[in-house]
Amino acid sequence: MSYNVAFISLGCAKNQVNCEQMMALVEGSGHHVQAEPDGADVVVVNTCGFLSSANEEAIDNILQMAELKRAGRIQKILVTGCMAQRYKGDVLEELPEVDGILGTGSYTEIVSAVEQAMAGQRPSRFGSIHTAEQGGERILSTPPWYAYLRIAEGCDNHCAYCVIPSLRGKYRSRPMEELLTEAAELADAGVKELIVIAQDITRYGTDLYGGHALARLLRQLAKLPFHWIRLHYLYPDEITDELIDTVAEEEKVLPYIDLPIQHCNDTILKAMNRRDTKAELLALLKTLRERIPGLVLRTSLITGLPYETPEAFEELCDFLREVKIERAGVFPFSPEEGTRAAAMDHVPTEEAVRRAELVVDVQSDIIDAYNASVLGQSREVLCEGFDGQAQMFFGRSYAESPDIDGRIYFTAEKDPQIGEFVTVRLTGVMDGELTGELEDR
């Protein structure tokens, strides 16, 4: 019997790739993937479990599906992903509406879980998080012009505040041949922007090949017919000269680096098991700026970490004013159960939130200065749609990653093709985002 299955994917792009793989498995087994939950036989909620706020979002989504189930508009609910892995002993007990659960080591068992749930069983599968299969067919859930390529799974960094190693297992690089085959298929499908992702892409190959292989992988990917190749999550302590040269020299590899530093204070960095010092971060950022023309940096920052005294917080703000990182995600410290940092003294949550807002203010000044510095330039922009309220087209340049960095809005006398590259002259700013006009070329 064939069933209609809908998917809700929460959290990061890496989780989204798992969801795309599950959708392909469901379709490949003769079932049907539908876009909306309403009317589905089974709804799969693919959860994030990184932070308490992500767990709350997952529970909210599960309870929304439970309402549809009570109304007779769906039949079964399956929960997969990181929250399922993190709270495997609680989900089925605390949420009786849930009809089955798969941990992060059991994504490939989605078809049998769907069929068992529809047969009245309550599957609970938790395969090894250290050996889970990484490859496989996907049904892309991104717009057709960009897609993610996950090059590794797991993490060996063991930062004191982070639960990811316990949810995703040890670091495992995927074989380069497998990645190049998958990337070629994405290029053949019309993908123009390939976004290379993992918990830590900088360590790619160290477990498989005995040394850093990201630069070599990027040079091979650049031979494929992508227009842009974007990099996410490069850890500062593993960036090699070869990698810097590759980003600088390969035209398709964008001068955009996502470098999660979290903080700059040496005491905090050491306590959080980060392998950088402030001096090393300053030296690295200086080197990157000098050697990669037009570089745009993104980072992640956490306020209120253990040992963040008022002086350490001011040090962070001064550091940001000095290095002028263009993009930043700023988060108040969340003491996550099971992490070493949760047992350490830290400022109250309200103070961590207040400090995060102050850092956002610092970053706003940096972004405003950056935007002002590029006015008058012409930029290649990937057109992604038309905003009816603004009455302008919108898209992204190399300096904006999807979903996290905002957009460039522009006017055009002739309608551009959605999903195509155009040249936009930057002329202004609207609510912190760049605006411009399409150049006639």
Side-chain angles (χ1 to χ4, degrees):
M1 180 175 285
S2 176
Y3 301 117
N4 294 320
V5 185
F7 288 82
I8 298 171
S9 191
L10 306 173
C12 68
K14 298 174 289 297
N15 211 36
Q16 186 175 348
V17 170
N18 285 133
C19 198
E20 293 173 344
Q21 292 168 327
M22 287 193 291
M23 289 192 291
L25 287 168
V26 166
E27 283 274 6
S29 67
H31 302 298
H32 172 65
V33 173
Q34 66 178 52
E36 298 298 328
D38 202 349
D41 295 308
V42 180
V43 176
V44 180
V45 183
N46 190 36
T47 62
C48 176
F50 179 47
L51 298 172
S52 298
S53 56
N55 294 320
E56 292 166 5
E57 181 187 21
I59 292 169
D60 287 344
N61 275 270
I62 292 167
L63 294 178
Q64 289 172 24
M65 294 306 101
E67 289 294 326
L68 290 181
K69 185 179 177 182
R70 278 190 284 273
R73 290 156 64 181
I74 66 175
Q75 294 190 51
K76 303 291 182 181
I77 301 169
L78 293 178
V79 177
T80 63
C82 287
M83 191 198 77
Q85 183 70 36
R86 187 174 181 185
Y87 296 107
K88 48 180 174 264
D90 301 325
V91 173
L92 292 180
E93 182 178 339
E94 301 288 337
L95 295 167
E97 303 90 346
V98 172
D99 298 289
I101 184 170
L102 300 179
T104 55
S106 296
Y107 283 109
T108 56
E109 300 178 60
I110 184 63
V111 174
S112 61
V114 165
E115 293 170 350
Q116 286 182 344
M118 288 302 295
Q121 301 174 49
R122 210 177 185 209
S124 178
R125 311 274 185 85
F126 291 92
S128 171
I129 62 173
H130 302 294
T131 58
E133 186 176 329
Q134 294 190 57
E137 297 294 320
R138 296 159 57 188
I139 294 177
L140 297 184
S141 56
T142 51
W145 48 84
Y146 76 85
Y148 297 101
L149 180 69
R150 189 180 60 197
I151 66 172
E153 178 60 288
C155 187
D156 290 343
N157 290 318
H158 297 284
C159 300
Y161 50 81
C162 183
V163 298
I164 290 298
S166 66
L167 304 180
R168 292 286 181 169
K170 64 184 179 181
Y171 192 85
R172 292 104 64 205
S173 302
R174 293 176 62 191
M176 193 173 299
E177 298 78 11
E178 180 182 306
L179 291 172
L180 293 174
T181 297
E182 181 175 337
E185 292 171 352
L186 292 173
D188 289 344
V191 170
K192 297 179 174 66
E193 178 181 7
L194 186 74
I195 306 176
V196 178
I197 60 170
Q199 297 296 340
D200 176 1
I201 66 172
T202 350
R203 282 174 171 75
Y204 174 74
T206 53
D207 55 325
L208 275 185
Y209 306 118
H212 295 88
L214 178 60
R216 180 157 54 96
L217 172 64
L218 293 176
R219 291 192 185 275
Q220 292 300 313
L221 290 172
K223 296 176 182 179
L224 297 172
F226 298 112
H227 196 80
W228 284 349
I229 298 172
R230 189 180 298 274
L231 310 181
H232 269 291
Y233 315 121
L234 292 95
Y235 276 68
D237 59 310
E238 295 285 337
I239 292 181
T240 64
D241 283 338
E242 182 188 16
L243 179 58
I244 296 173
D245 288 341
T246 299
V247 176
E249 295 166 5
E250 287 289 349
E251 186 177 350
K252 292 181 182 179
V253 179
L254 297 178
Y256 174 105
I257 288 181
D258 190 333
L259 192 77
I261 63 171
Q262 313 306 353
H263 214 283
C264 69
N265 174 269
D266 285 344
T267 299
I268 294 172
L269 291 172
K270 184 176 181 179
M272 295 301 102
N273 199 37
R274 304 288 293 187
R275 284 170 286 279
D276 320 292
T277 65
K278 180 181 178 181
E280 288 167 344
L281 289 173
L282 287 169
L284 174 63
L285 294 174
K286 182 174 184 291
T287 297
L288 292 173
R289 295 282 195 201
E290 289 174 347
R291 292 173 57 182
I292 303 176
L295 177 66
V296 166
L297 289 166
R298 159 165 276 280
T299 196
S300 300
L301 303 165
I302 303 175
T303 59
L305 283 164
Y307 303 103
E308 190 186 67
T309 61
E311 293 76 17
F313 174 68
E314 284 302 319
E315 182 182 357
L316 174 62
C317 293
D318 290 341
F319 175 89
L320 295 172
R321 293 186 186 102
E322 177 182 355
V323 298
K324 295 180 173 58
I325 294 173
E326 290 85 355
R327 316 288 191 199
V330 186
F331 308 94
F333 172 59
S334 176
E336 294 299 315
E337 180 183 0
T339 64
R340 284 177 292 135
M344 300 177 187
D345 289 337
H346 54 86
V347 300
T349 297
E350 297 79 8
E351 175 62 13
V353 170
R354 186 187 76 86
R355 292 180 183 182
E357 291 170 350
L358 291 173
V359 171
V360 168
D361 290 341
V362 171
Q363 279 300 124
S364 293
D365 292 340
I366 294 168
I367 293 168
D368 288 345
Y370 170 75
N371 286 343
S373 74
V374 299
L375 293 182
Q377 293 183 11
S378 293
R379 283 225 169 138
E380 185 178 50
V381 170
L382 178 54
C383 181
E384 297 192 296
F386 182 79
D387 187 302
Q389 183 174 358
Q391 288 295 296
M392 301 174 82
F393 291 91
F394 63 85
R396 297 178 292 107
S397 73
Y398 81 90
E400 293 87 27
S401 195
D403 297 329
I404 56 175
D405 288 333
R407 299 166 167 174
I408 293 176
Y409 291 85
F410 60 95
T411 57
E413 292 186 10
K414 294 182 180 179
D415 290 357
Q417 193 78 22
I418 306 302
E420 296 297 328
F421 289 91
V422 297
T423 302
V424 174
R425 183 173 178 271
L426 303 176
T427 58
V429 179
M430 177 179 68
D431 296 328
E433 296 185 300
L434 289 163
T435 62
E437 52 195 32
L438 183 68
E439 290 190 350
D440 185 17
R441 290 190 177 179

